[in-house]
Amino acid sequence: MEERPSPLKQAMSTPILAAAAQLVGEQKAVAATQAAWALVHGFVTLELAGQMRLGVPLEGLLLGVEAFVQGLRASRINGP
């Protein structure tokens, strides 16, 4: 039996899923959303662990997100 997401989880994921669908299509939207969540989670985890002392964490996160989005766009252009 599949668990239904809570209203909060659904409210958080709906805009990300919609953006991902625009970048990679409906079939890959869930996978792209999971990958985006993993990227952000990794940065937050490293920051909380004090591993972001060198450099500026926000700049690194923004660069990572930008590269991620460009990669998603390229995967849409280049096919499955």
Side-chain angles (χ1 to χ4, degrees):
M1 184 165 150
E2 192 173 316
E3 183 179 323
R4 294 181 55 89
S6 71
L8 177 60
K9 284 182 183 177
Q10 192 167 7
M12 289 174 53
S13 65
T14 298
I16 298 170
L17 277 167
Q22 287 183 340
L23 288 171
V24 297
E26 292 290 330
Q27 289 184 322
K28 293 183 180 179
V30 171
T33 299
Q34 290 171 336
W37 186 252
L39 174 72
V40 172
H41 181 270
F43 267 89
V44 170
T45 300
L46 289 169
E47 175 66 20
L48 291 174
Q51 298 300 311
M52 293 293 199
R53 289 174 281 190
L54 301 175
V56 182
L58 181 57
E59 287 181 19
L61 176 60
L62 293 176
L63 178 64
V65 169
E66 183 179 336
F68 179 75
V69 169
Q70 287 179 3
L72 290 179
R73 284 187 182 129
S75 74
R76 177 73 182 246
I77 293 168
N78 297 325

